[in-house]
Amino acid sequence: MSALLGLRDVHTHIGPYHILHGVDLEVPEGEVTLLLGRNGAGKTTTLRTLMGLWRASQGQVLFAGEDITSRPTASIARLGIGYVPETMGIFSDLTVAENMTLAARSARRTKDIDSARLEWIFSLFPMLKTFWLHPAGLLSGGQKQMLAVARALIEPARLLVIDEPSKGLAPSMVARMIEAFQAVKETRTTLLLVEQNFHFARQLGDHVAVMDNGAIVFKGEMASLIDDSALQQRLLGLSLDAHQ
Ligand SMILES: Nc1ncnc2c1ncn2[C@@H]1O[C@H](COP(=O)(O)OP(=O)(O)OP(=O)(O)O)[C@@H](O)[C@H]1O
Ligand SMILES: [Mg+2]
């Protein structure tokens, strides 16, 4: 099993605060890794650090065998890493079509977008087709989340890094999002997903890492965490009844 992305003993400070305390994480190629953990555990800080949005004060980030720890964010993205931040990063004043066109690096105009790829994305998120010419700001929170994921999918990426794809989604939309990620998973795209929702995470993850207080406190196969409710309770504070 080869890791496409690896973090080794990564420490991150934000201003005077020491947030990441030696994060070690491996993301195997062609598989789905879930990063879980309670609020404030350091999940978003880990993603921002690997994207170069925060600078590691110690340690290394490796992508495809290359040290990217000190690279600028734009250059990290150009290596083929698609990132959907917690804040989604969509443009409210622009239409869905314009948001997608901006995300498609190879397309200057909407009609230049690879049509087969766009049809595939419409099959994952049919509402994007319905609201194609509507300003993105008029979409619901869940629809915006789908647009944010769709933007990350429009160009083939070697690695997709997505911060809480299920956040703020109604249950019916969670099911749609899971189906969409299952379809992405079938293309053997390497995924690193941050989640709070274990119901979502368990259906997609091959591998899982759990963070607490700025460090990884558990790494393993998702199947082993699914089978061990005492471990879930200890790591995530979950009770089975709450997550049926
Ligand atoms: N800009 C910032 N300035 C100061 N502290 C910050 C900043 N961003 C995050 N932190 C702190 O760093 C810690 C980790 O935050 P982070 O956002 O990485 O957690 P998280 O696991 O993504 O949480 P959540 O599940 O709530 O999104 C928290 O204690 C948070 O308060
Ligand atoms: Mg977060």
Side-chain angles (χ1 to χ4, degrees):
M1 185 172 74
S2 63
L4 180 60
L5 176 78
L7 278 73
R8 293 201 188 140
D9 191 32
V10 167
H11 290 249
T12 299
H13 288 74
I14 303 179
Y17 305 107
H18 191 173
I19 308 291
L20 299 187
H21 298 266
V23 171
D24 285 298
L25 179 67
E26 301 225 308
V27 176
E29 183 145 32
E31 296 181 343
V32 182
T33 302
L34 264 296
L35 182 60
L36 309 180
R38 299 182 172 97
N39 286 117
K43 306 179 299 293
T44 296
T45 306
T46 300
L47 299 192
R48 287 182 59 85
T49 303
L50 77 89
M51 291 306 299
L53 292 161
W54 297 125
R55 287 285 154 208
S57 47
Q58 188 183 317
Q60 272 190 319
V61 183
L62 300 165
F63 180 71
E66 193 177 330
D67 188 338
I68 62 165
T69 322
S70 307
R71 277 191 182 233
T73 300
S75 133
I76 293 172
R78 273 198 302 273
L79 292 172
I81 307 184
Y83 172 53
V84 180
E86 229 168 0
T87 49
M88 299 189 279
I90 62 172
F91 301 100
S92 299
D93 295 336
L94 302 183
T95 63
V96 169
E98 288 163 339
N99 269 278
M100 293 298 288
T101 309
L102 279 175
R105 260 183 249 132
S106 50
R108 287 232 188 121
R109 289 163 303 181
T110 305
K111 69 181 179 58
D112 299 332
I113 298 179
D114 182 297
S115 57
R117 193 138 183 113
L118 191 57
E119 283 306 319
W120 178 64
I121 289 174
F122 284 156
S123 76
L124 303 180
F125 303 118
M127 73 84 201
L128 293 179
K129 195 167 187 173
T130 312
F131 295 113
W132 190 235
L133 296 175
H134 291 231
L138 297 183
L139 300 177
S140 72
Q143 290 169 335
K144 284 180 184 147
Q145 191 68 273
M146 289 176 176
L147 173 58
V149 173
R151 293 187 79 221
L153 292 175
I154 193 73
E155 290 284 332
R158 293 191 70 186
L159 170 67
L160 285 180
V161 176
I162 305 187
D163 203 342
E164 294 207 45
S166 79
K167 195 173 182 179
L169 297 184
S172 64
M173 284 197 155
V174 172
R176 171 111 299 271
M177 193 68 101
I178 289 170
E179 279 173 28
F181 276 106
Q182 274 161 347
V184 174
K185 186 172 170 169
E186 279 168 24
T187 68
R188 309 288 295 161
T189 303
T190 311
L191 290 171
L192 173 60
L193 306 178
V194 158
E195 261 305 326
Q196 291 260 7
N197 180 338
F198 189 62
H199 165 72
F200 185 96
R202 62 179 287 165
Q203 298 192 59
L204 293 165
D206 297 306
H207 310 282
V208 60
V210 182
M211 288 194 88
D212 201 18
N213 281 324
I216 305 288
V217 293
F218 174 83
K219 285 192 252 209
E221 301 306 302
M222 180 60 90
S224 63
L225 185 58
I226 290 170
D227 287 343
D228 191 338
S229 55
L231 189 63
Q232 288 168 31
Q233 173 69 36
R234 181 166 71 75
L235 295 171
L236 303 167
L238 297 175
S239 78
L240 266 184
D241 301 341
H243 283 266
Q244 301 259 301

